[in-house]
């Protein structure tokens, strides 16, 4: 006798056996991390002020695809009192645990490409060479980062070093 499966049960079965299929995140009950605010706070406690400027990092995310159950997700942060060209850094997380930054140095004009990121891959774009902060005439370098089971691997060449120093945050 054939039993009919509901459409959601059938879809779940297909995803489980389809070659190359991936899950959006870990299964229920998996070892998942804390909420985003706690994860960022924990990461910034381990990450020093921006070494190029000495400015303290803000715990307010500029962009995020944080998922406490994902193999790799990221939160972009900038310095406190940031301007458009202030340094930004991608804090990387494995199942909610901080595992480092996207690059050793912070870059201005960093963006998370959420639509291209997956449960184990984070895609960032780095702008450089603009003639002004609001100008759209620079070069964009896209870099993919993937969790390989033990750590974060940069799959593409790093972006070029910033040509101009970042603007200081406004005085209080």
């Amino acid at each position: 006798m054939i039993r009919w499966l509901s459409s959601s049960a059938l879809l779940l079965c297909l995803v489980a056996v389809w070659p190359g299929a991936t899950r959006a995140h870990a299964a229920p009950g998996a070892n998942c991390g804390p909420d985003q605010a706690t994860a960022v706070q924990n990461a910034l406690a381990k990450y020093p002020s921006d070494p190029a400027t000495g400015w303290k990092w803000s715990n307010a995310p500029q962009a995020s695809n944080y998922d406490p159950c994902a193999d790799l997700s990221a939160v972009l942060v900038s310095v406190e009192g940031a301007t458009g060209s202030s340094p930004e850094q991608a804090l990387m997380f494995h199942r909610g645990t901080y595992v480092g930054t996207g690059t050793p140095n912070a870059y201005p004009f960093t963006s998370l490409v959420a639509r291209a990121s997956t449960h184990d891959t984070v895609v960032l774009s780095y702008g450089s060479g603009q003639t002004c902060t609001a100008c759209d005439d620079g070069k964009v370098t896209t870099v993919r980062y993937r969790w390989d089971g033990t750590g974060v691997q940069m799959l593409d060449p790093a972006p070029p070093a910033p040509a101009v120093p970042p603007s200081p945050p406004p005085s209080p």
Side-chain angles (χ1 to χ4, degrees), residues 112-168:
L112 173 69
V113 186
R115 68 185 179 283
S117 299
T118 66
H119 78 286
D120 69 350
T121 303
V122 168
V123 181
L124 300 175
S125 67
Y126 299 88
S128 62
Q130 293 94 319
T131 56
C132 69
T133 300
C135 297
D136 194 18
D137 59 349
K139 177 182 177 186
V140 175
T141 303
T142 301
V143 181
R144 296 168 298 144
Y145 300 85
R146 187 177 61 82
W147 181 259
D148 71 1
T150 60
V152 179
Q153 297 297 314
M154 183 184 282
L155 301 178
D156 303 298
V164 282
S167 300

Side-chain angles (χ1 to χ4, degrees), residues 16-167:
V17 298
W18 193 267
T22 59
R23 292 184 183 166
H25 53 78
N31 185 18
C32 297
D35 62 74
Q36 177 175 289
T38 302
V40 169
Q41 181 179 7
N42 292 342
L44 292 177
K46 298 174 185 174
Y47 191 62
S49 297
D50 179 44
T53 63
W55 300 329
K56 185 176 176 183
W57 295 102
S58 170
N59 62 0
Q62 300 293 305
S64 172
N65 73 339
Y66 180 79
D67 180 342
C69 294
D71 283 331
L72 188 63
S73 61
V75 176
L76 288 182
V77 295
S78 190
V79 294
E80 292 180 351
T83 65
S85 62
S86 292
E88 297 173 303
Q89 187 56 277
L91 304 175
M92 301 286 192
F93 297 90
H94 170 65
R95 297 190 180 176
T97 300
Y98 173 66
V99 292
T101 58
T103 56
N105 300 313
Y107 288 80
F109 313 113
T110 303
S111 301
L112 173 69
V113 186
R115 68 185 179 283
S117 299
T118 66
H119 78 286
D120 69 350
T121 303
V122 168
V123 181
L124 300 175
S125 67
Y126 299 88
S128 62
Q130 293 94 319
T131 56
C132 69
T133 300
C135 297
D136 194 18
D137 59 349
K139 177 182 177 186
V140 175
T141 303
T142 301
V143 181
R144 296 168 298 144
Y145 300 85
R146 187 177 61 82
W147 181 259
D148 71 1
T150 60
V152 179
Q153 297 297 314
M154 183 184 282
L155 301 178
D156 303 298
V164 282
S167 300

